[in-house]
Amino acid sequence: MNFARLKLRHLQCLVVVAQERNLVRAAKGLALTQPAVSKTIAELEDIVGRRLLLRRRRGVELTPAADVLVRHAVAALRGLREGLGLALDQPEFDQVRVAVGALPNMAANLLPAAIAALHASTPALRVRVASGTNAQLMTQLRQGEIDLVLGRLAQASAMADLHFEQLYSEPLLLVVRPGHPLAARRRPALDALAAYPLVVPVSGTLIRHTADAFFVAQGMAMPRCFVEATDTSFAFGLLQCADAVWFAPQGAVEGFVARGELRRLAIDTASTEGPVGLTVRRGSEPTEGARLLIEAIHGVVRQRGARRKPQAAGA
């Protein structure tokens, strides 16, 4: 076999012919003429020194030699595509890259501020932000798919081989649109929520457990009408067109409240307060991009106060 004569087009052609089992359809898939496909296969047969195709009335049949070659050609082409994809995903020599997982309370406020600050000092910056539940992000972190996770402290069972650094603590808040019937009440009763749809975190998440525990501690059941969601844009949009109440982390809604787009209900939710911070892999050195982003996050937290307090009700 003369490997010097073997070209990528030979393998691509054989794989498509094997998939189609028809030279005309293969030619169409390869954007070639049928004679060109036949010529390429003939060249490959000459290189291999074996017959690869048997012409039949309704198409072609692979010889045993072709079956073997096709299996390896498919693996080789897949590996090449993956390699090219990884190569294209690599940063330029002077580019800083970081992948961060962010829960809604971070993605809506702290993380954008940190990335903006980092970009100002590091223009050659490439950031990938991953979303998901706390458990999903911890799995991605442990597998090396992301460099760090920003959000609430995960359950102990999800923290194996991971390290959590607390930045501050925050509660869940009950918020509504400014024109909501409950927004005008000075101190609405908790059971008044039963008359309105409630937007809560997705079932099975740690923050949802916190929300459920709050209602249990208050001696009442979760309102019958509720919507499970973690996407802040969806929840905000729903509140604009329905008399819904959003039970969300302070960090996810404080920007809306500060701009007057949402109102916090004057219902005490201090018992839902929990630690918020960043999680990294234990015992591994952070990448340059991760280190710079962590420094930027610390800078934003210092500017806002290491320990934030809930905004005044009705603000």
Side-chain angles (χ1 to χ4, degrees):
M1 179 184 292
N2 187 352
F3 282 105
R5 295 174 55 201
L6 185 64
K7 306 297 182 183
L8 187 61
R9 63 182 176 85
H10 292 123
L11 299 181
Q12 291 173 320
C13 186
L14 177 63
V15 169
V16 175
V17 170
Q19 291 171 341
E20 298 293 344
R21 300 300 174 107
N22 183 284
L23 294 180
V24 174
R25 289 198 299 268
K28 185 176 181 180
L30 291 164
L32 298 172
T33 63
Q34 189 268 323
V37 171
S38 296
K39 180 181 178 181
T40 302
I41 293 298
E43 291 175 356
L44 183 57
E45 288 178 327
D46 186 52
I47 294 169
V48 174
R50 293 286 189 280
R51 191 173 183 181
L52 299 176
L53 299 182
L54 300 175
R55 270 68 173 181
R56 301 303 186 196
R57 185 175 179 180
R58 294 188 176 182
V60 295
E61 180 181 331
L62 302 185
T63 66
D67 280 328
V68 173
L69 186 55
V70 166
R71 287 198 301 272
H72 288 275
V74 168
L77 292 171
R78 181 174 61 245
L80 183 59
R81 283 194 298 269
E82 292 174 353
L84 287 171
L86 291 172
L88 291 172
D89 196 42
Q90 296 301 306
E92 299 295 336
F93 72 95
D94 61 345
Q95 188 177 54
V96 176
R97 184 175 65 168
V98 59
V100 53
L103 291 167
N105 57 329
M106 291 293 200
N109 198 327
L110 177 60
L111 183 58
I115 291 176
L118 180 55
H119 185 267
S121 61
T122 313
L125 176 66
R126 180 176 177 180
V127 181
R128 178 170 65 86
V129 179
S131 59
T133 65
N134 210 324
Q136 290 169 343
L137 294 177
M138 294 306 165
T139 298
Q140 293 181 47
L141 175 62
R142 192 175 291 105
Q143 294 176 348
E145 298 175 15
I146 53 181
D147 299 305
L148 65 151
V149 173
L150 289 171
R152 284 204 169 202
L153 173 63
Q155 294 176 334
S157 59
M159 290 299 294
D161 303 322
L162 301 177
H163 171 73
F164 177 79
E165 177 191 352
Q166 181 172 342
L167 300 174
Y168 53 83
S169 62
E170 68 175 15
L172 304 184
L173 301 182
L174 289 160
V175 297
V176 296
R177 62 181 176 82
H180 192 284
L182 294 180
R185 298 191 188 182
R186 183 174 179 81
R187 297 217 174 260
L190 186 61
D191 58 12
L193 300 181
Y196 306 97
L198 183 67
V199 183
V200 294
V202 173
S203 179
T205 60
L206 182 62
I207 200 166
R208 171 59 180 277
H209 175 74
T210 301
D212 290 342
F214 170 77
F215 284 105
V216 171
Q218 300 299 318
M220 65 175 290
M222 177 82 72
R224 294 179 62 185
C225 181
F226 64 90
V227 177
E228 296 180 316
T230 56
D231 186 273
T232 56
S233 59
F234 165 78
F236 178 74
L238 179 62
L239 264 62
Q240 302 313 298
C241 57
D243 285 335
V245 179
W246 186 8
F247 203 13
Q250 178 180 336
V253 299
E254 61 185 354
F256 297 117
V257 173
R259 294 188 295 271
E261 297 169 333
L262 293 177
R263 295 282 301 274
R264 181 192 168 193
L265 297 181
I267 294 176
D268 184 8
T269 58
S271 62
T272 63
E273 187 161 323
V276 175
L278 56 89
T279 305
V280 297
R281 288 183 294 278
R282 188 183 300 276
S284 65
E285 288 295 321
T287 65
E288 178 67 7
R291 184 186 65 79
L292 291 173
L293 180 57
I294 290 172
E295 289 180 357
I297 290 168
H298 286 156
V300 173
V301 171
R302 283 194 298 270
Q303 291 175 1
R304 298 180 177 182
R307 303 289 293 183
R308 299 181 308 174
K309 295 298 183 182
Q311 298 181 15

